[in-house]
Amino acid sequence: DHRQLTETLMTEALADLSAAGVAVWLDDLSRERVRSGNLAELMRTRSVVGVTTNPSIFQKALSGGGAYDDQVRDLALRGADVGEAVRALTTYDVRWACDVLRPRYDASDGVDGRVSIEVDPRISHDADRTVAEAKALWWLVDRPNLYIKIPATREGLPAITRTLAEGISVNITLIFSLTRYDEVMAAFLDGMEQARDNGHDLSRMGSVASFFVSRVDTEIDKRLEKHSGLRGKAGVANAQLAYQHYEQVFGGGRWKALAAAGATPQRPLWASTGVKDPSYDDTLYVVELVARGTVNTMPEATMQAVHDHGVIRGDTVTGSYAKAQQVLDDLAGAGVDYDEVVQLLEDEGLEKFVQAWGDLIESVTEQLEKAGAEVAPTGATTPAGQGPAAASREGSGR
């Protein structure tokens, strides 16, 4: 009937994107989204095959609704400190989402069906602590389809290598510059070579490199005249050139040796794909970044926009390198200092992560104090029996 035909037509854009080799991931997670079946529904109807999280996503989820009340109450009864509580609450959600996505992980031989959780961004300039935190999160969630997110700061690069060397899958986040991206890919190759030498099964490991898009335009547009034809061009051009770098590295001899040992490529992931300027097409950072072997992680509003009116025109990246380079050359001619912009964005991005983590800590602290004041000291209760079996141990480990 007409309704079924309309639904079929509406779902074609995301299906076309997937068919073009772009993995569709959701940039959001909450307990209610998992418990209600919404995440499973998005897998069925929106081609979703992965999930990314960050501190601000968790803070928003924890501050809305009562989905976390039972677990917060039990944590308060046990006298858990805020650090333990944050780990217990967030790893519960991520573990559950991993279980929902596990069939996709199995069907794709470990490539998709992944869920990301971020290390505490406050320690991103300390490689030793970052690796220790990555190992702790990997152990707490205890699911093979997990990614540990590590920011691509200069100090984060050795942490990325060392985490991979432990056999842990990694999502490298907060990449803005082509130079930093080259360093991230080198850190990946180093880590996978060490993982191989350490006896880990490379075929079970994975990695993505999260290259941020919209924030580049937001910052560069501020430096251009209102009528400049270069506005809204830098983010896509920068990402297109990143894919050129990806092709060069993953066509090389070092990678081929790892591939022969069972490794899969570290995929470029387009992050920050929600359009910030309302004058731009709200599907811009999806339809202009279609290339095989990539991931696009979208806020739900962006995913809905693509679902509703996105037009996927096939590969919009591999033939664009000369044009993309011209955009960066023209920006330099207009007085935009690329190196200064991308360093500023990295610094500001980390500050935003740290601020979001602080907000998350504050929100959980308030909830623990409120729950502690409400419960009588007569002993803890069992958490609500929903979610994965391991989650009932609420992050206290095996």
Side-chain angles (χ1 to χ4, degrees):
D1 63 11
H2 174 72
R3 183 173 171 275
Q4 285 181 316
L5 177 61
T6 302
E7 179 68 15
T8 300
L9 290 171
M10 286 175 69
T11 57
E12 279 182 357
L14 290 164
D16 288 349
L17 188 64
S18 188
V22 181
V24 177
W25 288 14
L26 174 69
D27 190 25
D28 190 57
L29 182 65
S30 68
R31 190 161 303 177
E32 188 56 37
R33 187 185 288 283
V34 187
R35 186 166 63 185
S36 67
N38 174 260
L39 178 58
E41 178 70 12
L42 291 175
M43 293 172 66
R44 286 192 298 271
T45 64
R46 299 292 187 272
S47 302
V48 169
V49 295
V51 171
T52 49
T53 67
N54 60 45
S56 61
I57 285 172
F58 280 128
Q59 194 276 328
K60 180 183 174 187
L62 286 160
S63 61
Y68 299 89
D69 290 353
D70 285 343
Q71 193 182 7
V72 169
R73 181 175 184 272
D74 289 346
L75 287 160
L77 281 164
R78 290 206 296 103
D81 65 30
V82 69
E84 180 190 355
V86 167
R87 282 193 184 90
L89 291 160
T90 58
T91 56
Y92 185 118
D93 286 5
V94 168
R95 185 185 303 112
W96 196 349
C98 281
D99 288 348
V100 173
L101 284 156
R102 182 62 183 267
R104 182 62 205 173
Y105 171 82
D106 292 336
S108 65
D109 204 20
V111 175
D112 280 311
R114 298 275 186 167
V115 185
S116 297
I117 188 170
E118 190 164 325
V119 297
D120 182 341
R122 297 173 300 179
I123 60 173
S124 60
H125 290 299
D126 186 327
D128 288 341
R129 292 180 67 191
T130 296
V131 174
E133 182 73 4
K135 289 163 71 175
L137 290 170
W138 184 256
W139 178 76
L140 276 170
V141 175
D142 193 27
R143 296 295 187 269
N145 50 330
L146 179 69
Y147 273 136
I148 304 296
K149 277 177 92 172
I150 300 176
T153 59
R154 190 169 299 283
E155 297 85 353
L157 296 170
I160 291 160
T161 294
R162 289 167 53 189
T163 301
L164 286 162
E166 296 280 349
I168 296 171
S169 297
V170 178
N171 174 345
I172 297 97
T173 188
L174 213 65
I175 307 170
F176 294 96
S177 84
L178 295 167
T179 299
R180 180 70 87 237
Y181 181 42
D182 288 339
E183 294 169 343
V184 163
M185 289 188 286
F188 167 77
L189 294 175
D190 290 343
M192 292 297 280
E193 286 167 351
Q194 291 178 29
R196 176 195 60 199
D197 297 344
N198 290 338
H200 294 291
D201 181 357
L202 302 190
S203 70
R204 294 295 90 192
M205 295 176 61
S207 182
V208 290
S210 298
F211 207 88
F212 281 50
V213 187
S214 67
R215 293 188 198 178
V216 175
D217 278 336
T218 300
E219 186 58 39
I220 286 181
D221 284 359
K222 288 193 283 189
R223 299 160 191 243
L224 296 169
E225 299 291 333
K226 287 287 185 187
H227 60 273
S228 172
L230 291 169
R231 287 170 59 83
K233 298 283 175 56
V236 167
N238 196 39
Q240 288 170 333
L241 291 172
Y243 192 80
Q244 183 182 32
H245 287 226
Y246 158 79
E247 287 187 311
Q248 291 165 351
V249 170
F250 288 92
R254 278 186 79 188
W255 167 247
K256 288 176 181 174
L258 285 167
T264 53
Q266 178 191 65
R267 290 183 290 176
L269 179 150
W270 313 129
S272 183
T273 56
V275 172
K276 306 292 194 291
D277 188 326
S279 69
Y280 299 153
D281 178 3
D282 55 3
T283 67
L284 172 67
Y285 302 122
V286 178
V287 300
E288 297 299 334
L289 292 174
V290 178
R292 190 156 296 282
T294 61
V295 178
N296 196 308
T297 185
M298 309 173 207
E300 189 169 20
T302 301
M303 184 176 292
Q304 188 60 33
V306 176
H307 166 74
D308 183 57
H309 53 263
V311 179
I312 307 304
R313 310 187 309 277
D315 186 330
T316 50
V317 174
T318 57
S320 67
Y321 304 143
K323 184 179 176 184
Q325 185 59 54
Q326 189 62 54
V327 169
L328 295 196
D329 292 345
D330 290 346
L331 285 165
V336 174
D337 185 334
Y338 174 87
D339 292 335
E340 187 262 326
V341 167
V342 292
Q343 187 59 56
L344 175 69
L345 287 169
E346 181 183 304
D347 293 343
E348 287 185 348
L350 192 58
E351 286 175 16
K352 288 175 182 175
F353 278 178
V354 169
Q355 178 61 49
W357 194 266
D359 293 343
L360 176 59
I361 293 285
E362 185 178 331
S363 179
V364 173
T365 299
E366 290 175 359
Q367 290 185 46
L368 284 171
E369 290 173 349
K370 181 183 176 187
E374 290 175 353
V375 296
T378 55
T381 59
T382 302
Q386 299 206 48
S392 66
R393 289 189 281 278
E394 38 131 349
S396 57
R398 286 283 177 263

